Amino acid sequence: MCSDSKTSDVFSHQTEFVCEAKNLHDEICSGKLREAPLIPLAEEAVKDLLALLRGESRGKGGGYKDPNIDHFTRHRLDGMKTLLKFYTDKRSKTYGHWSASSLMAAVSLNRGTYCARILRSLTRQYINDRTVLPINPYGNWNETLLVDESLCTELNLYLQEIGNHITAEKLVLYLHRKDVMERHGITRKISAHTARRYLKILGFRFREPSKGSYADGHERGDVVDYREKHYLPSWAGIMQRVLKWTSEGIPEYGPLPGRQVIVWFHDETIFYAHDRRRRNWYHKDAPCKPYQKGDGHSLMIADFVSAEFGFLRTPDGRTARRLFRPGKNRDGYFTSEDIKDQARAAMDLVEELYPEYEHVFIYDNATTHLKREDGALSARKMTKGPSANFFTSVQARDDQGKPIPGQRTKIQMKPGKLPDGTEQPLYYPDDFKDEKGQPSELAGKFKGIVNILLERNINIEGKKFECRGFKCASPAVDCCMKRILYNQPDFSNQESILEATYRERGFQVIFLPKYHCELNPIEQCWGYSKRLYRFYPQSSREDVLQKNAVECLDAIPIESIRRFFNHAYKFADAYSKGLNGRQAAWAARKYRGHRVLPESLMEDMGKAGIV
């Protein structure tokens, strides 16, 4: 800042202070400020003063905003508050005694009678007029460069440009650039310590990055395409017949256009024996306590939850919940067969308990959930030409059809379907003969993508076999031979084992987009139960681990489960309005307690600068 402007600021603040002192002296001489105020008026004043010092409420989230009162003014306001409390509190020894209360307030500030007299005058003025507050006579003599709004804007743009490589030293060099100094009237170079203060004022903190809900693939092209074209339309198709709940867990009554739909979300989680809360209040002289090495035994739990009924279980305790001890030398791993068996158990229970409703099951995009039956059509690993080695690797099974652990075998891929509906074998027959009627060397071999497409009368002239890494640029559908075959109806409409299992019983199953755990409310149920679990006494016994984990899951209130569902519904509504992951996360924090986002969403986002 230039020295002339600073000098003028000093004289202006001195003039204001002299005028204030003169007016105060005139009123004291007239006797107006020597009168003791009425106690009811003083009580109202102390309430307003406390609210002023506390700041504006942050709303439902709790806490208060910083009122940004400078140290000098806050010191005097604290003295005024203390005076009023001594004067109006019946427990005070100076209750109802104006002068004595001011002396006690001055003593609390380590001051004398002059301070008591000033406090009485300032407080009397505040009682008469709430807009009259103490003035800081020192003004802004040591004013920071950041009072210049244009400089703040320029710094924010610069810091945005350098992204995650912000340092105090870079800010020092930027502010020392000749063009920046001339543009903003900066006369000398700032220190690194001052630059760190500036970064804090601008809202930056030197810490580890916050952990969010999203992985790198959340806004990947194929993930967004599935979210927009598959999941959200399927979700919109059932939402009209799903009962909605208020933030207090009360149903929003109203006629539904058809049979009510109950949505059951599925997921798995793992509890660990040694997962306990580490932060607590400990005495400073408390001895060190050795911790158990590692996480201890693990327990996987897979379950279903709905907003209407909570976890899926009968009054007598029967449930579709699966408890599994994962590990090579324990129960093994949760396979597609286990998923299918659990799905059948869930369908049996909902048909028994809630036959009057329509039920929809929603799973995440895990590999075990999407697994297709052995030999299902897939173009991803097919060869270009004939091959004697292209087969599908599947789990080996014994004569009773049970899987043999650790063993796999190879089988031929199942036939496809031509556009006219006839079957198209993908392998040459074992007795295949050439044009001369002689046994051909192609007998029993895989045909290859080129021959498969030619048999379908698809023109592949000028097409390359595969885009690099099969990462075709979206929304291309015929950029390469492999992509063309991949998008053929019989290849793209392959059902997973789970879909076929539900379809056979007349149920619908929907898969969440990848990396979208915020759309699954059961994730928050896991978090709630694990927070409770971490307060249990630590034990290495597996039976104790199972008992505690199940108790914590059953302890989740249905009201909390419904709030978790509203949270997931809010994200789905945000994506349906065209928001990306970052914007949806901002909206979810902004509109707490809402199930759908308000009409003012786009306007509020513009004001907040969320793009």
Side-chain angles (χ1 to χ4, degrees), residues 160 219 578-586 601-602 604-611:
Q160 185 177 356
E219 296 302 312
L579 274 62
N580 58 31
R582 178 173 177 266
Q583 295 168 337
W586 175 86
L601 168 65
M602 304 309 295
D604 294 341
M605 285 177 55
K607 292 179 181 178
I610 304 297
V611 294

Side-chain angles (χ1 to χ4, degrees), residues 143-350:
E143 204 167 54
T144 174
L145 291 173
L146 298 185
V147 297
D148 185 350
E149 292 185 3
S150 61
L151 176 60
C152 285
T153 303
E154 186 174 329
L155 288 179
N156 279 317
L157 290 174
Y158 168 70
L159 295 173
Q160 185 177 356
E161 288 176 6
I162 61 179
N164 295 328
H165 306 287
I166 298 173
T167 63
E169 288 72 19
K170 289 183 180 179
L171 187 59
V172 170
L173 294 175
Y174 181 78
L175 289 174
H176 193 54
R177 279 170 42 178
K178 186 176 180 180
D179 58 327
V180 176
M181 296 180 74
E182 290 178 355
R183 189 159 54 246
H184 299 285
I186 303 173
T187 57
R188 60 190 179 90
K189 185 178 180 180
I190 66 171
S191 65
H193 178 76
T194 301
R196 284 191 285 271
R197 282 197 301 107
Y198 287 0
L199 287 172
K200 288 184 179 179
I201 294 173
L202 292 170
F204 293 88
R205 297 294 182 270
F206 189 78
R207 57 177 176 81
E208 293 183 1
S210 301
K211 293 181 180 179
S213 305
Y214 311 111
D216 293 339
H218 190 276
E219 296 302 312
R220 205 170 64 192
D222 59 326
V223 176
V224 173
D225 186 70
Y226 177 82
R227 183 180 74 201
E228 303 296 332
K229 296 181 180 179
H230 295 84
Y231 178 76
L232 290 178
S234 299
W235 179 253
I238 64 174
M239 259 320 267
Q240 297 299 321
R241 295 185 289 130
V242 173
L243 184 63
K244 314 305 187 302
W245 303 85
T246 67
S247 57
E248 292 79 21
I250 302 172
E252 295 180 357
Y253 292 102
L256 296 176
R259 190 181 179 192
Q260 182 179 340
V261 173
I262 307 296
V263 182
W264 296 95
F265 282 87
H266 174 275
D267 195 31
E268 305 94 3
T269 191
I270 297 180
F271 285 80
Y272 291 96
H274 299 161
D275 182 16
R276 288 296 180 273
R277 178 182 175 184
R278 304 301 184 194
R279 290 178 176 245
N280 209 334
W281 292 100
Y282 299 103
H283 191 272
K284 61 183 180 64
D285 297 325
C288 296
K289 178 184 177 182
Y291 286 100
Q292 296 281 358
K293 185 177 181 180
D295 295 325
H297 291 298
S298 59
L299 177 70
M300 176 183 284
I301 299 179
D303 210 343
F304 298 86
V305 71
S306 71
E308 287 77 9
F309 309 110
F311 287 103
L312 180 55
R313 60 183 177 185
T314 63
D316 59 359
R318 289 181 293 120
T319 176
R321 179 180 295 166
R322 292 292 183 265
L323 305 180
F324 200 80
R325 301 181 306 148
K328 184 175 181 181
N329 298 320
R330 305 177 77 205
D331 293 339
Y333 300 94
F334 215 51
T335 65
S336 59
E337 291 292 332
D338 298 313
I339 293 292
K340 185 167 68 173
D341 291 341
Q342 186 186 21
R344 288 170 176 164
M347 289 186 284
D348 291 340
L349 288 180
V350 297

Side-chain angles (χ1 to χ4, degrees), residues 492-563:
S492 60
N493 296 330
Q494 287 286 299
E495 273 189 331
S496 66
I497 295 175
L498 198 59
E499 287 176 300
T501 302
Y502 278 108
R503 178 180 52 77
E504 290 170 0
R505 298 275 295 271
F507 291 94
Q508 181 183 1
V509 62
I510 301 174
F511 295 105
L512 292 163
K514 292 181 180 178
Y515 311 111
H516 283 64
C517 56
E518 73 280 6
L519 293 176
N520 194 344
I522 200 173
E523 296 283 0
Q524 290 182 276
C525 295
W526 301 142
Y528 191 107
S529 62
K530 288 184 179 181
R531 180 175 62 84
L532 299 179
Y533 174 78
R534 292 185 180 108
F535 284 95
Y536 276 70
Q538 184 167 312
S539 174
S540 298
R541 292 171 47 184
E542 290 193 75
D543 59 333
V544 176
L545 164 63
Q546 178 173 324
K547 173 180 173 295
N548 292 344
V550 171
E551 281 184 5
C552 292
L553 283 175
D554 294 340
I556 304 176
I558 188 65
E559 294 79 13
S560 296
I561 293 176
R562 288 166 182 168
R563 284 197 295 271

Side-chain angles (χ1 to χ4, degrees), residues 382-387 426 428 446-453:
M382 284 184 175
T383 59
K384 182 178 181 180
S387 172
L426 304 185
Y428 291 106
F446 174 67
K447 292 181 179 179
I449 288 181
V450 172
N451 293 319
I452 294 173
L453 292 175

